Amino acid sequence: MGWAEAVVAIIIIVTIGRVMRSKYRAEHGILEDHKGNTIGSQARNDPESDRLRDEVKYLKERVAVLEKIATDDRGARDLENEIEKLRDR
């Protein structure tokens, strides 16, 4: 094997290694900046993330209810009754 073949073999090995590393990082949610430095990870089964997602969903539902109450063309008494119902929940 000559030096040119050795250089080509090294380039192929390095390329395969980088592809395998990228695949591993993508599967595990590891993030990198434009220079290749690790900046964090996104755990897929993180219980804290799940809890926060549920809380955001709940708050969005509450905001939707409050928007509905505020934009309905009902009288002040109906609005007051609706607010009291929400407080009782």
Side-chain angles (χ1 to χ4, degrees):
M1 177 177 350
W3 68 271
E5 294 168 339
V7 170
V8 170
I10 290 171
I11 291 172
I12 291 172
I13 291 170
V14 169
T15 303
I16 291 172
R18 285 187 172 223
V19 168
M20 291 175 64
R21 185 181 81 178
S22 295
K23 182 181 177 199
Y24 173 81
R25 288 176 170 260
E27 287 174 350
H28 291 88
I30 300 171
L31 304 174
E32 297 177 348
D33 63 6
H34 67 282
K35 294 181 180 179
N37 300 323
T38 302
I39 57 174
S41 65
Q42 295 176 338
R44 293 181 182 185
N45 296 327
D46 185 18
E48 180 69 12
S49 295
D50 293 339
R51 185 188 68 76
L52 290 174
R53 255 186 234 102
D54 291 340
E55 186 174 344
V56 167
K57 181 180 176 183
Y58 172 74
L59 291 174
K60 284 183 177 182
E61 291 171 358
R62 292 290 304 249
V63 168
V65 169
L66 293 174
E67 286 175 346
K68 179 183 173 192
I69 292 170
T71 59
D72 279 348
D73 291 333
R74 290 186 263 165
R77 175 172 276 170
D78 291 339
L79 180 60
E80 184 178 325
N81 290 337
E82 196 74 30
I83 291 172
E84 288 302 321
K85 285 181 190 176
L86 289 174
R87 284 187 185 150
D88 292 338
R89 280 190 185 179

